Amino acid sequence: MYIVFEGIDGAGKSTQIRMLKEWLEANGFRVETLVEPTDSEVGKLIRKILQRPDAQSDNVQRTLGLLFAADRMLIMDKLDDESKIIISDRSFISSMAYQEPAEWIEVLNRYAKKPDLLILLDLDVKKSVSRTSGKDTFENEQFLTGVKENYLKIVKNYEHQIIDANNGVNKVSSDIKKAVAPYLGICPDCIM
Ligand SMILES: Nc1ncnc2c1ncn2[C@@H]1O[C@H](COP(=O)(O)OP(=O)(O)OP(=O)(O)O)[C@@H](O)[C@H]1O
Ligand SMILES: [Mg+2]
C-alpha cells in the first residue's frame, strides 16, 4: 500500500508519519518511509537550487518542476514493493498544489504513481506561518492560502482523507489512525 501525506509547510507531515510508522510496526506491518525531494542525485540538486536567491523566479520554478518530476521518477520502482506499507512525505500532488501552470505539471508527472490513500493534513495558514518561523511575510501567507485551496480541490481526484491538522499532535495522530485502519483491516477499537 502506498500512503501519501500532503499539507502546507508545518502541517505536521514529518511528525505524523513518524507516529503512524511506529503504530503500524507495533501492529505487525512492515513500513518504509520516503521523503520528497529524495536523497538521490536529483534530490540533492533540488535542495541546492532551492537555496538560490532567485529560487522564486518563474524560470527557476519551472526548472524545479522538471527536477521534482525527475527525482520522483527515480524512486518509482520502490513504490511497487507489496511486502511493505510505503509512506511518502509529499508526492507529485505537492507539485500540483505548489507549482504552475497546472497543465504542464500534470504532463510532467503523468507517470507518477497515484497514492492508494492520500492523507491531507489541513492546517490554517496562520498556524503554518507560526510553526515555520522566519517566513511570516504577507506574500508567504497569500501563497500558502492558494496552496491550501489547491490541495482541497486536488484531493477530490484521489482516494483521500482530510485530517484537521490544527489540533494537538496526539489528537491528529489518533484521527489519522482511525482514517487508515479500515484500509488495513485493523479493528477500530484497538486504536488509542
Ligand atoms: N499538531 C501540532 N500542534 C502543534 N505543533 C505541531 C503539531 N504538529 C507538528 N507541530 C510542530 O510544528 C512544526 C512543524 O511540524 P512538522 O515538521 O511535522 O511539519 P511538516 O508538515 O513536516 O513541515 P514541512 O512541510 O516544513 O516539512 C514542528 O516544530 C512540530 O513539532
Ligand atoms: Mg517535514
Side-chain angles (χ1 to χ4, degrees), residues 100-151:
E100 298 180 313
E103 311 81 60
W104 189 62
I105 296 295
E106 215 171 317
V107 169
L108 290 182
N109 289 283
R110 182 174 296 162
Y111 300 105
K113 189 175 166 79
K114 311 292 176 284
D116 297 309
L117 174 60
L118 165 58
I119 295 180
L120 175 63
L121 298 182
D122 189 33
L123 181 71
D124 289 350
V125 168
K126 292 233 181 289
K127 285 214 168 143
S128 161
V129 169
S130 73
R131 283 187 197 177
T132 56
S133 53
K135 289 194 291 180
D136 54 348
T137 58
F138 178 66
E139 293 96 274
N140 187 45
E141 221 177 288
Q142 252 190 340
F143 174 70
L144 289 177
T145 301
V147 174
K148 180 180 155 89
E149 282 167 10
N150 290 344
Y151 266 134

Side-chain angles (χ1 to χ4, degrees), residues 6-18 89-90 98 121 123 127 131-132 135 165-170 172:
E6 292 283 354
I8 58 174
D9 309 44
K13 299 176 293 298
S14 307
T15 307
Q16 293 299 332
I17 287 173
R18 221 167 23 242
D89 188 332
R90 297 194 180 275
Y98 280 79
L121 298 182
L123 181 71
K127 285 214 168 143
R131 283 187 197 177
T132 56
K135 289 194 291 180
N166 297 294
N167 295 316
V169 173
N170 290 327
V172 175

